[in-house]
Amino acid sequence: MSPDPLAPLDLAFWNIETAEHPMHLGALGVFEAGSATAGAHAADLLAARAPAVPGLRMRIRDTWQPPLALRRPFAFGGATREPDPRFDPLDHVRLHAPATDFHARAGRLMQRPLERGRPPWEAHVLPGADGTAFAVLFKFHHALADGLRALTLAAGVLDPMDLPAPRPRPERPPRGRVPDVRALPDRLRDALSDAGRALDIGAAAALSTLDVRSSPALTAESSGTRRIAGVAVDLDDVHHVRKTTGGTVNDVLVAVVAGALRRWLDERGDGSEGVAPRALIPVSKRRPRTAHPQGNRLSGYLMRLPVGDPDPLSRLGTVRAAMDRNKEAGPGRGAGAVALLADHVPALGHRIGGPLVSGAARLWFDLLVTSVPLPSLGLRLGGHPLTEVYPLAPLARGHSLAVAVSTYRGQVHFGLVADGKAVPDLDRLALAVTAEVETLLAACRP
């Protein structure tokens, strides 16, 4: 495989990382096990299968002058993905001692940065102390893979699945090296449109910082420590609320987060009155396969969570209305689309400015709430079925909490990632998520 330049947003993730604020995402999968040796067997399988997955062999290398074939405007000072000639899967797959609490062990592992000189991913196998289950924590740097790409890489080392054959894509005519002069007016118009969109996004982001009441629990100074918790709720319960109130499953899940935060803040004595933290809800705008460079391209919706509203159905209605407004405007404009501005920054700008802007996220939003798609088919490792999977989002500098949600096999899994010192009571927030689902169900009963 030839070197591939990092897309602008990937380059941003690579350069804003620090030892205290690693930019990797993760997933904690729990598998059934029939014996105490199942975890060790799983680790052997992961190490044996990893070399056959090309994406897992790719390292990220900083470059000041990319190869001639990859040169493009503003590429000076960028980075490339390229095969690591020294790749050894045993550097990335690690078997640990038996654990009684998978989430507690995974939290300590999530706070450790990935080694930047090697392909930036790890798989940690955690055997269960009672031998009935084992867990695997996957970590992928955000510059290597977003949530969907990370799922694809992880699936490459799990047991093969019988999937339907993909539909053939219509062939596109090859593009010439010299641009068609007839397309130049359209390209100029697109460039002007992009510039106008960038100004709109910047103005909306500036306005979003005004008149905000959040909670110190969400924006405490970062310590670099990590704590994680997982919550599983019945998907049928979520569908019941959705069918009763309207909207989408995602609307219900975001409202659950808002209600759980209210309950948690009140229980810990911080108070929820008037609190309306800004939640960033990422929206993938993946580049087509023919685009160059490949890589992440994210936008997002920014909304105020109605934490201060005491009525659960009113909270849900507020979330639904805000999401409808965001969808009507589209993910390409508004304060939530700030990540798209990465496309307008030269590579050298990311290299120099990354450390300076790493703390700017706290000025833009207070809490990340993201959804990670998972296949409905059952996944296995060494024949052992995957029963739970908790997505884990990166925690930006200046943020104390991030929430990731996935739906798998009839359950909704909430993965909560928090700063370990700022949020020592993360388990209480996990209980509040379950309680909020029950509250919404009760409010929907006649």
Side-chain angles (χ1 to χ4, degrees), residues 323-344:
M323 289 298 291
D324 287 345
R325 288 194 298 270
N326 276 316
K327 291 173 184 176
E328 184 178 355
R333 292 183 182 272
V338 164
L340 293 179
L341 297 181
D343 287 349
H344 300 273

Side-chain angles (χ1 to χ4, degrees), residues 35 42 172 199 259 267 274 295 302 311 340 357 359 423 429 444:
S35 70
R172 297 184 179 182
L199 291 173
E267 288 178 353
L302 196 68
D311 185 332
L340 293 179
V357 303
V423 188
L429 178 58
C444 291

Side-chain angles (χ1 to χ4, degrees), residues 19-387:
E20 294 77 21
H21 305 97
M23 284 290 104
H24 56 253
L25 48 86
L28 180 66
V30 180
F31 297 81
E32 288 183 2
S35 70
T37 61
H41 178 54
D44 291 340
L45 283 176
L46 293 174
R49 292 171 177 175
V53 182
L56 296 181
R57 304 176 63 94
M58 303 296 281
R59 66 176 179 177
I60 295 176
R61 187 169 69 89
D62 292 320
T63 59
W64 288 101
Q65 190 64 41
L68 181 62
L70 300 179
R71 290 181 187 173
R72 65 193 194 284
F74 307 123
F76 183 75
T80 61
R81 291 187 198 87
E82 57 185 46
D84 185 354
R86 301 171 299 172
F87 174 73
D88 184 346
L90 297 180
D91 292 333
H92 301 267
V93 179
R94 295 160 193 177
L95 177 65
H96 294 261
T100 56
D101 186 334
F102 293 142
H103 288 93
R105 181 75 63 82
R108 292 191 291 271
L109 293 170
M110 279 295 288
Q111 73 187 34
R112 301 179 187 175
L114 294 166
E115 187 168 331
R116 292 169 70 91
R118 296 194 297 228
W121 68 274
E122 292 174 352
H124 297 270
V125 181
L126 312 175
D130 59 3
T132 63
F134 67 89
V136 180
L137 172 66
F138 287 102
K139 295 167 58 178
F140 296 95
H141 198 286
H142 215 316
L144 179 70
D146 61 5
L148 187 57
R149 174 63 175 161
L151 171 64
T152 302
L153 293 175
V157 291
L158 299 181
D159 293 354
M161 293 186 296
D162 294 327
L163 298 176
R167 295 180 180 178
R169 291 175 174 266
E171 294 187 4
R172 297 184 179 182
R175 295 183 179 180
R177 292 183 177 272
V178 179
D180 186 345
V181 294
R182 294 171 296 180
L184 291 180
D186 290 337
R187 294 186 182 185
L188 178 59
R189 184 169 56 249
D190 291 344
L192 293 174
S193 177
D194 286 346
R197 187 179 300 115
L199 291 173
D200 285 348
I201 293 171
L207 290 174
S208 73
T209 64
L210 303 177
D211 190 26
V212 174
R213 171 138 199 267
S214 185
S215 168
L218 300 178
T219 56
E221 287 298 326
S222 304
S223 68
T225 58
R226 293 291 180 272
R227 186 182 300 270
I228 73 171
V231 186
V233 300
D234 195 321
L235 180 58
D236 286 341
D237 290 343
V238 177
H239 277 302
H240 177 75
V241 175
R242 178 191 61 81
K243 292 175 182 176
T244 303
T245 62
T248 67
V249 166
N250 197 55
D251 295 340
V252 177
L253 298 179
V254 174
V256 166
V257 173
L261 287 173
R262 175 183 174 81
R263 187 182 303 266
W264 175 63
L265 291 173
D266 286 343
E267 288 178 353
R268 73 197 319 251
D270 290 348
S272 61
E273 184 178 357
V275 172
R278 297 160 300 176
L280 176 65
I281 302 173
V283 177
S284 178
K285 293 176 66 67
R286 295 183 66 83
R287 299 170 186 271
R289 293 183 179 181
T290 55
H292 192 72
Q294 288 289 312
N296 292 323
R297 195 169 192 267
L298 293 175
S299 182
Y301 297 138
L302 196 68
M303 62 176 294
R304 304 281 183 88
L305 292 183
V307 173
D309 189 338
D311 185 332
L313 293 183
S314 175
R315 287 195 297 269
L316 177 52
T318 300
V319 168
R320 187 171 63 245
M323 289 298 291
D324 287 345
R325 288 194 298 270
N326 276 316
K327 291 173 184 176
E328 184 178 355
R333 292 183 182 272
V338 164
L340 293 179
L341 297 181
D343 287 349
H344 300 273
V345 178
L348 187 59
H350 287 295
R351 175 77 66 91
I352 297 174
L356 300 177
V357 303
S358 60
R362 69 188 305 174
L363 302 177
W364 173 27
F365 64 97
D366 304 304
L367 172 72
L368 179 72
V369 182
T370 185
S371 178
V372 181
L374 289 176
S376 59
L377 299 175
L379 300 172
R380 292 175 177 267
L381 177 56
H384 302 284
L386 176 66
T387 58

